[in-house]
Every structure is written in C-alpha cells, then in structure tokens.
Amino acid sequence: MLLQASFDHDAMHQPANANDVLMDAAIKARPAALSLYDEGATIYAQGDKAGPLFLVEFGSVRLCRMTAEGRRQISAFVLPGEVFGFEASGNHAFQAETVDCTGLRLLPPACDAQSARDTLTLALRGLMQAQEHLLVLGRQSAVERVASFLLDLATRQNDDQTVYLPMQRADIADYLGLTFETVSRTIGKLRDMNLIRLASVREIRLLDIEGLKTLCA
Amino acid sequence: MLLQASFDHDAMHQPANANDVLMDAAIKARPAALSLYDEGATIYAQGDKAGPLFLVEFGSVRLCRMTAEGRRQISAFVLPGEVFGFEASGNHAFQAETVDCTGLRLLPPACDAQSARDTLTLALRGLMQAQEHLLVLGRQSAVERVASFLLDLATRQNDDQTVYLPMQRADIADYLGLTFETVSRTIGKLRDMNLIRLASVREIRLLDIEGLKTLCA
DNA sequence: CGACCTGTTGATTCTGCTCAATCAACGTGG
DNA sequence: CCACGTTGATTGAGCAGAATCAACAGGTCG
C-alpha cells in the first residue's frame, strides 16, 4: 500500500475520452488508493461478491466468462479512464482479469444522490457498449469485426492513426467471437488491402480509416 | 386517452418475475397513463430524443438496429413486467417496435434519490441481459442459441412447460444472429430430438428441459 | 542452447447462408 | 363457395466463410 501510494494520480492518469470530466469529479469526491496488478491477474472471479467499482488508471482489463466446455467469451476490454465492476445481483457474473500490468483505483459504492447519478451514467455507457457489441457479434463477418475493433480501439485510445493492442490474438478472438487463427488471417488481409500496417505485432497503423469504416458496413 | 384510462392496472398487469416488487413500487410512486400500440408500431426511432422509460404491461417489444446494408440486429425482446428506454446519450441508439398489440406505461425520469437507485437497478439488469446475450452470439452454435432462447423465454414467462412466441421466425433470427431458415430448421431439429413439441407455430411445449439445458453447453 | 509461447500460414472440414421450391393459413373478391 | 394473392413457415441443394487440425517461424526466458 505504501508503494502504491507513491504513484501520483495526475502523472499516471491517461485521459481516454469524455469520461474524464465525470471521472475526475468522481475521484475528487471520493479519492481512493491506487492498486497495482500484474499481467494476467484476476481482479475478481465469477461468483465473487460484488462491491466497489474500479477505475482503470493505466493498463487494461478484460471482462470474461467461460462456458462448460471451456469456450471463453470476453464481453469487454476496459481501457484507461474507463470503469468496470457493475453487477445487477450481489455477485459477479463475469470475471475481471488484467491484460497487462495495470493500475486500478477503487470507487466506493455511491451514497449520495449525485454519485448515484454518476454511477447510472457510467452503467448506461456500459450498456450501450454491450449493445453495440451485440451488433458486431450478431451480424458482422470476420473482416467487419476486426475492422470495427481496430476503429473502436483507436477512438478510445484518442489516437486516430496508431492502435496499440495490449492483448494477444486469442483475447481479440474471444472478444470478437472468432478463432485466433481467423483474427490473424483477417489482420493479414487488412494489411494486404493496404488499410493497415503492422509496425509490430502489437502496434497497428491505420492507413485508410475511411476504407476501414466502409468495411464495417 | 379516455379509452386508455379505462384499462385497470391490476387487471392488466401480468407479473413476470422479481421485477414486480420494484416496478410496483415505481408505479405507485409515479403513476402514469397506459398507452396502447398496434402490432408493428414504432415506439421510438433511432435518433429520437431519449426521455422517459417504458414499462411493458402486456404484449412485447423488440429493440433493434439496422446496418447500412439492411441487416437487422435485435438486441432484446421486452416482455410484460420489464422496462426499456435506457440511453446513455440524449438520443436513442436503438429503435423500439411492438411485436404484437402492446400496452405501455410511461415512467417519468428519476428525480429523487430512491427512484435514481431504482433506475440504476433496472439499467444494470439490462446490462446483465446484454452481456449474457453476448455469450450466446459470440460462442454458441445454432442449436445452442435456439435452446437458450426457448429456456430464457420460459423463465421470463414464468412457465416452465409452455413457451408462447409473440414474434415471428425472422425476429428470432435477428435476435439470435441467424437466418430465419436456420431458426426454422433448428426448431425442427429440436422437435425431432423429442426435446420440444410444436402445439402451434407460436406455441412450444418444452418436453425435456434438462435435455435443453445440457444442449446450451 | 533448447523449451516454450505467440503468431502466422496452409489444408481440409463443416456449419450455417443463399437461393429456391413448396406448403399452410388467411383474407379478398368474384 | 372457390379462385387468387399474400404472408409466414418449412424444406431442399449447393456454396462460402470460418473452424479445425497441423506445420512452422520468431521471440523470450530459463
């Protein structure tokens, strides 16, 4: 905890989007300690008692669930500046794991009216993202899914040109409802179409954003 | 409005599940008129200004969205006793249409702390349903999807044996991310496996619930 | 250096889509 | 009453896209 306290909020906080204003307000109102997690750490497991919300300061988190046969579905990736931990019942239906080395700030449950409204806003934002994702999983082809994913990441990382992928191909696959082989092939296809360029395995330059957008249908 | 006022709440309200207590409280706190809609009516369109929430008294509602090519994804069906109309931004991202003749009660936006909490609870319930649905669309086969759908409907209709389908095959298809031909074939397959029996096109008897559950993986 | 993990690429299989025909239920009008 | 058109559901045949199985390359770490 002493180590964690040495992290300075302003230095670590990487603004992602319009969440900032809201979250900064939430933090000022209810400051909390920063917790560090290693890559691949479990923040909470399926069935754990639900409690506080978590704000991602840096790193990234995947929310996932396993089926009986061991198939995995990732319902969302949580990037810096975004919040997770919502539950309808008292227990977590999904598991939260860090994708890479990650810093989280705990947000205690809302008590006053204002923070209840803020929580609602954040929950609704999550609902919208989930519904958006339903569209992808239900009606899009592999190319469309990958293109949507890259554009979404670019937007949320506030960088129109370069996308950094904190997660590996299997994570992307389980998020998009594909196999990792198909993800790899599809990224290759987008590269061959000159829509993207792979600076490295984890860093992708978007060469033709309009082209990618038309692909998403 | 005079006609609508003639509907008696207690007579029309068909409790579906645990929503009841919460919703009854909400209604008592903020009573509202009942609105009638024909089959296939648009309650609000994509882009419409978001406002009140809607409680389904009887009938059913589909929340859907179209892609540029005319593909449709239904994100949820709303059954009696359930609420819809949540939006993160000021405008509706999805369109709400009635599936059959439907009665809705308007719930004005929350103003006090208690109703804000209630709204949050309902929103979180919607978020859970959407995440549950992500699992279906991302990782299940056609048989698993249809089996899950039937079991889900049975639960929400509070009838373990008989499922009544208010919607047609194309609606089920757009909800499950399949074509209506595949839905039809798959229902036929479940019938041939003696897991269900079609009393009519719209009424399905669940003969082997455990068998259906094991199918869902 | 070798073991291991991640990612890429190839060959084959299979599920579900597309196109198309048929059927049943219903309403309309002669 | 029946011929006709319409709409929704079912069924069939062939095809396309993604999954599966498998081999291999590049990087990292012991």
Side-chain angles (χ1 to χ4, degrees), chain B residues 118-152:
Chain B
D118 290 350
T119 307
L120 178 60
T121 305
L122 292 170
L124 286 176
R125 207 167 285 167
L127 178 60
M128 289 303 112
Q129 270 190 10
Q131 289 182 339
E132 213 59 47
H133 199 47
L134 287 177
L135 208 71
V136 174
L137 294 187
R139 285 284 168 240
Q140 294 197 313
S141 68
V143 213
E144 294 167 343
R145 291 181 202 209
V146 173
S148 304
F149 177 69
L150 292 177
L151 288 172
D152 180 49

Side-chain angles (χ1 to χ4, degrees), chain A residues 157-180:
Chain A
Q157 290 179 356
N158 259 357
D159 189 332
D160 285 348
Q161 302 298 332
T162 306
V163 176
Y164 177 70
L165 305 173
M167 71 294 284
Q168 58 187 46
R169 300 294 189 262
D171 288 327
I172 303 178
D174 288 343
Y175 177 67
L176 296 179
L178 302 169
T179 59
F180 63 87

Side-chain angles (χ1 to χ4, degrees), chain A residues 197-217:
Chain A
R197 202 171 68 78
L198 279 84
S200 78
V201 177
R202 296 296 182 91
E203 190 180 344
I204 295 185
R205 297 268 157 72
L206 307 188
L207 301 179
D208 182 357
I209 296 184
E210 285 313 310
L212 288 170
K213 280 184 182 163
T214 54
L215 264 193
C216 293

